Amino acid sequence: MPVDGKLLDILCCPVSKSPLTRMSAARVQKLNKVIASGDLLRVTGETVKSPITEALITDDSKVIYPVVDGIPILLAEQGIGTTQLQDF
């Protein structure tokens, strides 16, 4: 279940306060390939182990937040930095 558009209009990154947008399906697929290889880390250094079906990304494309069952997980420690991803 995707995040409601009205809710998305008011959501922002809990750290930078940057607006968030839906991550494209192509980017989610690319992200899941890195997760499957065991090479994706959260900002805390913890390995991301579960595939992501939906995600939000900051407008500057620096941080990704997973969406679980239509609920954005906007906790700073759940963020995934994009600097570890090539050609993202």
Side-chain angles (χ1 to χ4, degrees):
M1 173 169 61
V3 175
D4 180 79
K6 290 180 183 178
L7 178 61
L8 190 57
D9 288 342
I10 61 171
L11 294 178
C12 66
C13 172
V15 178
S16 70
K17 308 303 183 219
S18 175
L20 298 168
T21 57
R22 281 187 183 90
M23 205 162 73
S24 71
R27 278 182 143 181
V28 170
Q29 184 178 24
K30 191 173 191 177
L31 192 64
N32 283 327
K33 286 181 182 178
V34 180
I35 291 170
S37 71
D39 294 330
L40 191 67
L41 302 174
R42 297 192 191 285
V43 295
T44 59
E46 175 190 4
T47 302
V48 179
K49 296 178 183 170
S50 300
I52 294 174
T53 56
E54 184 181 3
L56 301 178
I57 190 166
T58 55
D59 275 355
D60 59 8
S61 296
K62 290 186 178 180
V63 184
I64 299 165
Y65 293 96
V67 175
V68 179
D69 295 329
I71 301 169
I73 310 301
L74 299 180
L75 301 171
E77 61 271 8
Q78 292 295 310
I80 300 167
T82 59
T83 56
Q84 63 187 314
L85 303 167
Q86 293 181 0
D87 303 321
F88 198 74

